[in-house]
Amino acid sequence: MFFWSNGNKNGLTSGPLTSGDQLRYSALHRSRTLSTSCCSVFLPVKPHRFVGETTPPISLFDYHQIHTWFALEDSTCGCLWYHAEHSSHSLSPSIVFLLLKPPLFSDHHLLPTSPQLTISVSTPQLDSLHRICLRSRWVYIGGLARAQADQKWQVKPKIDAPSGSSSDRSASVVAEAVNNQLSGLSLGESNANVKVWKPKSYGTTVSGSKVSVNQRKFYKGEFLDGFTVDKSSYCQAQIRATFYPKFENEKTDQEIRTRMIEMVSKGLATLEVSLKHSGSLFMYAGHNGGAYAKNSFGNIYTAVGVFVLSRMFREAWGTKASNKEAEFNDFLEKNRMCISMELVTAVLGDHGQRPLDDYVVVTAVTELGNGKPKFYSTSEIIAFCRKWRLPTNHVWLFSTRKSVTSFFAAFDALCEEGTATSVCRALDEVADISVPASKDHVKVQGEILEGLVARIVSSGSARDMENVLRDHPPPPFDGADLNLGLSLREICAAHRSNEEQQIKALLTSVGPSFCPSDLDWFGDESVDSHSKNADKSVVTKFLQSQPADYSTSKLQEMIRLMKEKRLPAAFKCYHNFNRANDVSHDNLYYKLVVHVHSDSGFRRYQKEMRHMPGLWPLYRGFFVDINLFKSNKGRDPMALKSNDNTVKDASENVGQQGKDGLADDDANLMIKLKFLTYKLRTFLIRNGLSILFKEGPAAYKTYYLRQMKIWGTSDGKQRELCKMLDEWAGYIKKKCGNKQLSSSIYLSEAEPFLEQYAKRSPKNQVLIGAAGNLVRSEDFLALVDGDLDEEGDLVKKEEVTPATPEPAVKEAVQKAEGLIVFFPGIPGCAKSALCKELLNAQGGLGDDRPLHTLMGDLVKGKYWPKVADERRKKPQSIMLADKNAPNEDVWRQIEDMCRRTRTSAVPIVPDSEGTESNPYSLDALAVFMFRVLQRVNHPGNLDKASSNAGYVLLMFYHLYEGKNRKEFESELIDRFGSLVKMPLLRSERSHLPDPVKSIIEEGIDLFQLHSRRHGRLESTKGTYAAEWSKWEKQLRNTLTAHSEYLNSIQVPFESAVQHVHEELKRIAKGEYKPPSSEKTKHGSIVFAAINLPVTQVHSLLEKLAASNPTMRSFLEGKKHRIEEKLERAHVTLAHKRSHGVAAVARYGQHLNREVPVELTELIFNDKMAAFTAHVGSVDGETIVSKNEWPHVTLWTAEGVTAKEANALPQIYADGKASRVLIEPPALVSGPLEFF
């Protein structure tokens, strides 16, 4: 608090200062435990004759727990700077100084340049003020604390003014706390000189310090409210932290694989693969730049991240850590860089496995600069990290066709049972370059591996990596044996009851290099009431202001586009506390967080980038510093723009360099590959908890069966998982009752259960992957699946029984079952009219099952339980569920009904192109609205008489938000196995008229505002009631004015009914085949083999029998059994159980290539028979089988496994088998395949 008073010090006045006035500045201390105290400075003001005073009589008094002296900017008196530091045994000495700046003094009446003053101190806490420097334009008082009392210091003449003051920032500086009690401080004359002491400069402010008037107004939003956008308004924006752009691949996984293999095979690119650690994104931009999580900052996630990063430095550098931390932070600040890491810890919630240690792995290094961010290549990241001894990830490079095809084959072989040890071992064997991680996943995370990330990089990446590995050897860990103090888990355990205390304890442990201030976490606590959040109008004014440089204009372009296209994103604004010292009414600083809510937002933005090549990418983890200012603040916007061409060119060059000569689509090719051992824990156990506890075991079973179907899990694994998950559901329900297990600590119960389950059999061990300390991963590949013989040759697919009960999805509807027809639509989609037509259709759906309907608008109470009751009463009937079914909750209820009553379900959806985030287009929505507003006397009261009909349709429309048409249809097909599209709009129609499009878009914007503030509150209530009323009237007028157009674009209803009727008849007869949902299924590879045509093998047997009596005798009575047993004829090349994953994977380069095979002899006895095979070559390369005896197994007797056929040559040599030579050898061929 600051004020000035006249000479008698009583009574506040205002107005210009006059001669004889005394100016009093007071800094008040506020504390929860101490009374308000005051430090005051009195200066006599004689504007025309101030220099005439010999020594200004300055008195400092009323010292009591001075917390901070503040600054004040005043048009009359200029700028006053107080600074005070806390003095204690553990902190640096305290100082006190005062700075005064004209126009208080006239240029014609300058102060003496060498006053001789003496300062005496009577307290041990503050030894003395050590100098007073008076120059022509400044008055400066400084002080130094010493552990001595009553000592006198003399002033050194002609001391320069303190540095750091600039014309473009407010002169106010907030200082740090002083908790000393000071008294008896006075100033007197002296002739001695003193040693000059330079105060330490701080870049940030400690929370809890007192705030200036400017800061109070800033925090309370007064400055923002008063910041009007005009011609002098400018803005400057700089990206403060960011992660890689997120590109959504529109291709299927198989298409991406194919393109990756093609590019590597042609030498256009290299495939880079890295481990996906199971943690969370953490970004660090230096001690001033800040710490960030994926979409937030200043929370427990970033506090944990800073602590773990600091601990990594101490482990790596040992006793040098403190200096290296300071150097590292200075380096990041000086070069405006950000490092991104995967933060893996046990204290932030469970993923697939609780890590054995808490750690970070650097995944990206970014130069933010003043333009478009530049991301380091992986080789550059490793060089950077080895310089600073930061943890790096395990990386593999595949630069040949052989290696890249081997990689994908290795993954397919391990996707259902891979763990960290087996995966890393296999990839080490097939990769061209393997760069081990600085921290072994098995030792710090454990055996459960989330997955792999494969992406296309430049063709020169392998060469660059080799150079880096040569020039930057792995660094030592000097602190490995040192006591690093309390661990993360110990600190969090000690403060479990209070998250704020956890954060403070963690930040205190970090030290000043990584955390000189806690402002990002707690703001300025000395302000009675303010929020870290700033008003959303910051974004509006940012977009309206003139950009001060090129980067700002590009960021404005991004945000403006996202808002115009209504992408699912939030723009969260916060006060930038670290720049609070610099704020004024026309110079404001904020932090902006761009939070994209769903992947559809990235997809839609990516599509816009194709139309606007200069558009900057949309980043994951996107934080921007924003400065709003007026051009008269001392900064010349033209000067800021003078470097625009340089920055622009640099940004564009960065973009070109990032592509490395690759086309945009190819440069962004990336695929994530996850392992079943991780997914069964996270997706099937953790994510299924809410369904299990809220909806019961039956709904949980439906959920996990659908997940496994989507993943394409093999039949054998599905059966094993069903058994395990059913047992888990019973176990956890019995233990927890109706109290749901928290997903953040689910492993506390799941891990012991999985450990005990794995102990029961080797098969269970393979299924679980690793649990507890009893399962050793090195044993996994030596185990044999009990349901398959060694080669897997002779077990027909049909013999693998599916899990029971069967999921709701079926290939065709059985006539003995019931049928539910339901409508994932919007009011106005004509479902009731369609149901009526279907009921009246002659012959029903072409069979004798009864057809009936249940209209939702006439049902009292909950609708879907009523449908379930009807299904139980009439299990073989066809039910037309005349009610909109717009979300997954309803779909799950329908799935549960299907499972319980052996019923199939068929969704009928209005056909529409949809938008990028909604399965229904604006054209379709306009027609639905038009139809509803034509209704009269609707049973559900949704018609032209309804005052909020438009709002209701918008509410239904937004229930589908987040899925485009392709995703919407694919999910329905995956769930129910069928889909019928009801024709709605003519394909040759003209575009939606602008007035109709505009009124609907206005309604969508209004709905989003309303729902953000009021949730599901009716539109007739709340803040926007008047706006809704106005919009509803405009909607009716607009649609009525374009009624001719809206009628003309619709497909005739009779035609639509006929189409739906025919499709339902096909489904009812079991003739329907569902369209592909385009989900690629890879399964799990067991072995590689050449698949031979069975007909040719049978023909060869018949020729041998005709020409050889011994052969004919052998085949008598066996031919039928051989035909039954021999599902496929093949030459096994390698089997992962016998030869290892890498051996199987290396055949990937020849996948689907035709390979010639010569059959030279038949060896047989009464237990088995097989052809000897000589495998040929492909493109001049001989295909070599890993089997000692390449052969084609024809037949085995009951109880004999195919593996035993490998011994036939030795059995023949022992005289216990017969041989028939084939002269000349029979030549057959077939594709090389994985099984």
Side-chain angles (χ1 to χ4, degrees):
M1 174 180 180
F2 301 96
F3 54 89
W4 66 268
S5 66
N6 54 17
N8 62 11
K9 311 173 191 174
N10 294 318
L12 294 179
T13 63
S14 62
L17 298 173
T18 59
S19 179
D21 283 346
Q22 254 190 351
L23 183 65
R24 171 181 175 177
Y25 288 87
S26 294
L28 299 182
H29 168 67
R30 179 179 289 112
S31 170
R32 296 179 182 176
T33 58
L34 301 173
S35 60
T36 300
S37 55
C38 162
C39 167
S40 300
V41 177
F42 294 93
L43 294 174
V45 179
K46 296 182 178 180
H48 301 290
R49 192 56 188 163
F50 185 80
V51 74
E53 295 287 337
T54 305
T55 302
I58 302 175
S59 60
L60 304 173
F61 62 94
D62 293 341
Y63 281 84
H64 181 68
Q65 291 291 334
I66 297 176
H67 194 268
T68 304
W69 286 353
F70 291 88
L72 176 68
E73 183 179 34
D74 186 277
S75 60
T76 303
C77 65
C79 179
L80 181 66
W81 182 9
Y82 293 105
H83 190 109
E85 280 193 281
H86 175 65
S87 178
S88 71
H89 296 294
S90 61
L91 299 176
S92 59
S94 298
I95 61 169
V96 179
F97 54 87
L98 172 113
L99 180 65
L100 213 66
K101 182 181 178 182
L104 178 62
F105 309 111
S106 167
D107 288 339
H108 303 290
H109 300 281
L110 304 182
L111 296 176
T113 58
S114 278
Q116 296 180 345
L117 301 176
T118 300
I119 307 168
S120 62
V121 180
S122 60
T123 65
Q125 286 84 359
L126 182 65
D127 189 5
S128 65
L129 292 171
H130 83 278
R131 74 175 187 239
I132 295 179
C133 172
L134 301 179
R135 300 193 63 186
S136 62
R137 288 183 174 271
W138 302 90
V139 178
Y140 179 82
I141 301 174
L144 174 66
R146 294 290 181 89
Q148 302 174 5
D150 299 325
Q151 184 176 358
K152 293 185 178 180
W153 290 76
Q154 296 175 339
V155 177
K156 181 176 180 177
K158 296 185 180 180
I159 305 298
D160 290 339
S163 62
S165 177
S166 63
S167 60
D168 70 325
R169 53 162 51 175
S170 168
S172 61
V173 176
V174 181
E176 293 188 324
V178 177
N179 290 324
N180 307 312
Q181 295 188 12
L182 310 176
S183 62
L185 184 63
S186 63
L187 303 178
E189 291 188 6
S190 174
N191 295 319
N193 292 332
V194 299
K195 182 179 180 181
V196 176
W197 179 85
K198 186 177 180 180
K200 181 178 179 181
S201 176
Y202 287 84
T204 56
T205 304
V206 176
S207 70
S209 62
K210 284 193 173 181
V211 294
S212 68
V213 172
N214 279 357
Q215 292 166 354
R216 288 181 183 275
K217 291 183 177 180
F218 174 58
Y219 296 149
K220 292 181 178 180
E222 295 178 24
F223 280 168
L224 181 62
D225 292 341
F227 190 93
T228 56
V229 179
D230 51 31
K231 292 182 179 180
S232 66
S233 301
Y234 286 84
C235 61
Q236 186 176 21
Q238 292 181 314
I239 297 178
R240 182 67 273 182
T242 191
F243 191 50
Y244 292 116
K246 185 177 178 67
F247 290 98
E248 287 292 316
N249 296 310
E250 295 185 352
K251 300 181 178 70
T252 64
D253 284 358
Q254 187 57 51
E255 289 172 334
I256 295 171
R257 288 181 175 213
T258 301
R259 181 56 181 160
M260 286 178 164
I261 292 171
E262 179 185 2
M263 293 182 67
V264 174
S265 300
K266 293 180 178 179
L268 301 175
T270 297
L271 184 71
E272 177 188 287
V273 177
S274 58
L275 292 182
K276 176 67 178 75
H277 292 255
S278 190
S280 53
L281 176 62
F282 170 64
M283 294 169 287
Y284 186 73
H287 58 280
N288 287 333
Y292 305 87
K294 185 177 182 180
N295 293 304
S296 61
F297 68 98
N299 51 30
I300 187 65
Y301 287 91
T302 54
V304 169
V306 170
F307 177 89
V308 175
L309 178 59
S310 174
R311 197 173 182 89
M312 295 293 99
F313 261 85
R314 282 177 274 171
E315 287 181 2
W317 292 100
T319 56
K320 302 176 184 177
S322 180
N323 290 335
K324 289 298 179 181
E325 286 179 356
E327 289 179 23
F328 177 69
N329 278 280
D330 289 342
F331 181 84
L332 293 184
E333 296 288 347
K334 180 180 178 181
N335 295 281
R336 276 190 54 79
M337 296 179 69
C338 170
I339 58 171
S340 302
M341 295 153 276
E342 191 76 10
L343 172 62
V344 184
T345 171
V347 305
L348 295 177
D350 287 341
H351 295 277
Q353 184 180 32
R354 285 182 185 163
L356 303 174
D357 197 3
D358 304 303
Y359 66 99
V360 293
V361 171
V362 176
T363 52
V365 176
T366 314
E367 289 182 358
L368 302 173
N370 294 314
K372 188 177 181 180
K374 175 186 179 298
F375 294 91
Y376 279 19
S377 68
T378 301
S379 58
E380 291 172 329
I381 291 174
I382 291 176
F384 176 89
C385 289
R386 289 188 173 181
K387 172 186 176 181
W388 294 105
R389 300 187 184 180
L390 292 169
T392 55
N393 202 356
H394 200 151
V395 179
W396 296 269
L397 294 179
F398 304 86
S399 54
T400 63
R401 177 178 176 82
K402 180 178 181 179
S403 63
V404 72
T405 53
S406 298
F407 161 69
F408 285 117
F411 172 77
D412 288 342
L414 291 167
C415 63
E416 292 188 346
E417 56 190 51
T419 57
T421 297
S422 60
V423 170
C424 292
R425 180 190 298 133
L427 267 58
D428 284 344
E429 292 183 36
V430 301
D432 296 310
I433 295 177
S434 174
V435 185
S438 51
K439 286 187 173 292
D440 188 343
H441 190 286
V442 176
K443 294 179 180 179
V444 292
Q445 169 80 72
E447 281 288 358
I448 300 302
L449 176 61
E450 178 174 343
L452 302 169
V453 177
R455 63 173 185 157
I456 284 293
V457 294
S458 72
S459 57
S461 296
R463 180 190 63 251
D464 295 339
M465 184 66 75
E466 289 173 346
N467 293 336
V468 165
L469 296 179
R470 181 191 64 238
D471 299 338
H472 300 272
F477 286 86
D478 295 340
D481 299 325
L482 296 180
N483 182 0
L484 303 179
L486 293 177
S487 70
L488 171 66
R489 302 180 191 192
E490 290 170 333
I491 292 175
C492 290
H495 303 276
R496 288 186 63 186
S497 61
N498 190 305
E499 182 177 297
E500 182 176 316
Q501 290 302 317
Q502 283 183 337
I503 294 175
K504 288 185 176 180
L506 291 170
L507 298 181
T508 301
S509 301
V510 166
S513 293
F514 274 106
C515 185
S517 165
D518 61 6
L519 285 170
D520 276 349
W521 283 270
F522 302 111
D524 200 322
E525 295 178 324
S526 66
V527 181
D528 287 335
S529 61
H530 79 275
S531 170
K532 290 170 60 176
N533 296 0
D535 190 83
K536 62 182 68 175
S537 62
V538 171
V539 177
T540 302
K541 295 183 180 183
F542 166 66
L543 295 177
Q544 292 172 346
S545 299
Q546 301 178 67
D549 53 28
Y550 174 74
S551 299
T552 303
S553 67
K554 299 304 291 183
L555 291 169
Q556 284 180 321
E557 181 183 36
M558 290 180 66
I559 296 172
R560 191 174 288 118
L561 175 71
M562 294 174 71
K563 293 178 75 68
E564 288 175 355
K565 299 298 182 179
R566 296 194 300 276
L567 300 189
F571 304 95
K572 305 174 184 176
C573 297
Y574 302 88
H575 298 109
N576 191 339
F577 292 102
N578 292 311
R579 299 301 301 270
N581 298 335
D582 305 325
V583 299
S584 64
H585 68 279
D586 53 3
N587 190 38
L588 310 178
Y589 291 89
Y590 299 95
K591 285 180 179 287
L592 173 66
V593 181
V594 180
H595 180 186
V596 181
H597 291 305
S598 66
D599 288 346
S600 66
F602 290 102
R603 280 196 301 272
R604 293 168 60 187
Y605 188 89
Q606 189 175 337
K607 185 173 292 187
E608 295 298 329
M609 289 183 67
R610 295 192 182 99
H611 303 302
M612 303 172 63
L615 194 63
W616 280 12
L618 183 55
Y619 302 97
R620 291 172 288 175
F622 196 179
F623 299 83
V624 182
D625 284 347
I626 290 180
N627 177 206
L628 302 176
F629 65 96
K630 299 288 186 177
S631 60
N632 59 5
K633 276 302 298 175
R635 272 182 299 180
D636 182 4
M638 296 309 297
L640 288 172
K641 288 188 174 184
S642 64
N643 294 325
D644 261 9
N645 289 334
T646 302
V647 174
K648 180 178 180 180
D649 293 341
S651 296
E652 291 175 350
N653 289 336
V654 166
Q656 292 299 322
Q657 293 168 4
K659 295 178 182 177
D660 293 309
L662 302 173
D664 286 342
D665 288 344
D666 292 335
N668 300 321
L669 278 182
M670 188 266 289
I671 188 172
K672 293 181 181 179
L673 306 166
K674 295 194 176 184
F675 293 96
L676 185 60
T677 49
Y678 169 83
K679 293 191 290 187
L680 75 87
R681 288 164 166 81
T682 52
F683 289 93
L684 301 186
I685 293 180
R686 183 191 64 186
N687 296 358
L689 286 172
S690 60
I691 297 174
L692 174 61
F693 280 88
K694 293 178 181 178
E695 302 180 38
Y700 176 57
K701 192 177 192 73
T702 300
Y703 163 77
Y704 71 66
L705 285 171
R706 188 172 66 85
Q707 285 295 122
M708 288 189 284
K709 183 179 186 301
I710 292 172
W711 297 334
T713 308
S714 65
D715 292 336
K717 285 296 180 186
Q718 284 197 50
R719 188 171 61 256
E720 293 175 36
L721 283 171
C722 285
K723 180 180 177 182
M724 187 271 288
L725 292 170
D726 286 345
E727 187 171 328
W728 157 255
Y731 164 82
I732 199 63
K733 283 286 287 182
K734 182 177 180 181
K735 184 165 186 178
C736 296
N738 294 324
K739 184 178 180 181
Q740 180 178 329
L741 174 65
S742 170
S743 61
S744 62
I745 56 169
Y746 83 100
L747 285 174
S748 296
E749 296 295 342
E751 195 70 18
F753 169 83
L754 294 173
E755 182 178 359
Q756 293 301 315
Y757 193 86
K759 288 180 180 179
R760 298 180 194 173
S761 70
K763 185 196 299 184
N764 287 359
Q765 290 182 0
V766 175
L767 177 70
I768 300 304
N773 298 315
L774 301 177
V775 181
R776 297 193 307 150
S777 62
E778 58 267 27
D779 294 334
F780 288 172
L781 293 182
L783 299 172
V784 177
D785 190 332
D787 291 332
L788 295 175
D789 57 34
E790 194 271 340
E791 292 183 350
D793 304 31
L794 307 178
V795 178
K796 291 191 176 184
K797 187 175 181 180
E798 288 79 2
E799 294 177 5
V800 181
T801 56
T804 56
E806 294 182 357
V809 179
K810 299 178 177 63
E811 293 301 317
V813 176
Q814 302 299 316
K815 292 186 68 174
E817 299 176 351
L819 180 65
I820 300 175
V821 178
F822 69 101
F823 300 87
I826 293 175
C829 67
K831 64 183 180 304
S832 297
L834 175 64
C835 289
K836 183 177 179 181
E837 293 294 328
L838 293 175
L839 283 173
N840 296 330
Q842 188 174 2
L845 296 186
D847 61 8
D848 55 357
R849 284 179 291 179
L851 185 68
H852 61 103
T853 186
L854 192 63
M855 189 174 186
D857 293 320
L858 300 178
V859 172
K860 295 182 179 179
K862 294 184 177 180
Y863 178 80
W864 295 106
K866 295 279 188 182
V867 174
D869 290 340
E870 291 294 322
R871 293 298 318 131
R872 282 189 289 269
K873 295 175 185 177
K874 304 173 183 178
Q876 294 184 352
S877 65
I878 298 175
M879 162 69 75
L880 304 178
D882 184 5
K883 185 176 178 64
N884 288 301
N887 54 42
E888 295 181 7
D889 289 338
V890 174
W891 300 349
R892 279 201 299 269
Q893 292 182 58
I894 297 172
E895 285 179 299
D896 188 49
M897 278 187 275
C898 292
R899 189 197 62 78
R900 290 175 181 271
T901 62
R902 290 186 59 80
T903 299
S904 296
V906 179
I908 297 179
V909 298
D911 199 4
S912 170
E913 300 92 340
T915 69
E916 291 161 335
S917 64
N918 198 295
Y920 293 105
S921 65
L922 295 185
D923 306 57
L925 180 58
V927 168
F928 297 153
M929 288 179 168
F930 179 68
R931 288 177 176 178
V932 167
L933 294 175
Q934 302 302 306
R935 293 173 177 173
V936 291
N937 299 323
H938 184 258
N941 297 320
L942 186 61
D943 51 30
K944 65 186 302 181
S946 174
S947 62
N948 64 343
Y951 166 79
V952 172
L953 268 81
L954 288 173
M955 181 181 66
F956 271 92
Y957 182 77
H958 279 82
L959 291 175
Y960 296 95
E961 192 69 22
K963 289 186 177 71
N964 61 30
R965 188 68 182 193
K966 181 178 178 181
E967 294 167 334
F968 172 68
E969 292 182 358
S970 294
E971 181 163 354
L972 287 170
I973 293 169
D974 286 331
R975 285 178 180 269
F976 303 104
S978 61
L979 179 73
V980 175
K981 299 180 183 180
M982 182 178 180
L984 175 66
L985 302 175
R986 296 180 184 273
S987 58
E988 69 278 5
R989 68 187 183 278
S990 58
H991 292 297
L992 191 67
D994 288 339
V996 178
K997 182 179 179 181
S998 296
I999 193 65
I1000 293 178
E1001 289 179 341
E1002 288 174 15
I1004 290 173
D1005 292 338
L1006 183 57
F1007 180 86
Q1008 291 173 346
L1009 285 173
H1010 177 89
S1011 59
R1012 278 197 293 266
R1013 175 164 294 190
H1014 300 298
R1016 293 192 174 186
L1017 184 69
E1018 294 179 9
S1019 62
T1020 55
K1021 303 175 183 178
T1023 309
Y1024 304 102
E1027 286 84 352
W1028 275 119
S1029 178
K1030 180 181 178 182
W1031 178 80
E1032 293 278 1
K1033 294 177 182 177
Q1034 291 176 340
L1035 175 68
R1036 284 161 170 77
N1037 294 337
T1038 303
L1039 296 183
T1040 300
H1042 294 84
S1043 59
E1044 183 178 351
Y1045 167 82
L1046 294 170
N1047 281 317
S1048 68
I1049 65 173
Q1050 299 181 46
V1051 172
F1053 181 65
E1054 297 77 10
S1055 174
V1057 171
Q1058 182 180 357
H1059 174 81
V1060 172
H1061 189 215
E1062 292 299 322
E1063 287 294 298
L1064 288 176
K1065 285 169 67 176
R1066 290 178 56 223
I1067 291 173
K1069 292 177 180 178
E1071 299 174 352
Y1072 174 87
K1073 289 185 179 181
S1076 170
S1077 63
E1078 299 188 13
K1079 291 186 181 292
T1080 304
K1081 302 174 184 178
H1082 303 292
S1084 180
I1085 292 174
V1086 178
F1087 62 95
I1090 302 169
N1091 194 10
L1092 301 178
V1094 175
T1095 55
Q1096 292 187 30
V1097 175
H1098 283 303
S1099 297
L1100 179 59
L1101 284 173
E1102 291 175 358
K1103 289 181 181 179
L1104 290 175
S1107 61
N1108 190 300
T1110 304
M1111 188 66 194
R1112 186 165 53 249
S1113 175
F1114 169 75
L1115 290 176
E1116 286 181 359
K1118 296 186 179 69
K1119 184 177 181 181
H1120 181 67
R1121 292 178 60 189
I1122 289 175
E1123 290 177 352
E1124 285 185 341
K1125 283 281 187 179
L1126 192 61
E1127 180 191 30
R1128 64 175 74 98
H1130 61 259
V1131 181
T1132 299
L1133 300 175
H1135 196 288
K1136 72 176 180 180
R1137 306 292 186 199
S1138 302
H1139 308 107
V1141 171
V1144 175
R1146 288 194 178 98
Y1147 292 102
Q1149 64 174 321
H1150 303 302
L1151 187 63
N1152 299 322
R1153 297 296 300 276
E1154 198 77 9
V1155 182
V1157 176
E1158 283 188 342
L1159 303 179
T1160 60
E1161 62 184 3
L1162 175 68
I1163 302 177
F1164 60 93
N1165 64 9
D1166 59 347
K1167 293 183 179 179
M1168 52 193 138
F1171 283 120
T1172 298
H1174 294 277
V1175 182
S1177 60
V1178 174
D1179 297 334
E1181 180 179 348
T1182 301
I1183 306 299
V1184 179
S1185 173
K1186 298 296 182 181
N1187 275 339
E1188 291 184 12
W1189 179 52
H1191 62 278
V1192 180
T1193 303
L1194 296 177
W1195 166 81
T1196 59
E1198 196 71 30
V1200 179
T1201 65
K1203 183 178 181 180
E1204 296 179 50
N1206 285 299
L1208 273 172
Q1210 184 60 46
I1211 295 173
Y1212 170 73
D1214 295 339
K1216 298 179 180 180
S1218 302
R1219 183 176 70 170
V1220 176
L1221 295 177
I1222 304 174
E1223 293 288 352
L1227 182 62
V1228 294
S1229 66
L1232 192 154
E1233 298 179 3
F1234 288 132
F1235 298 90

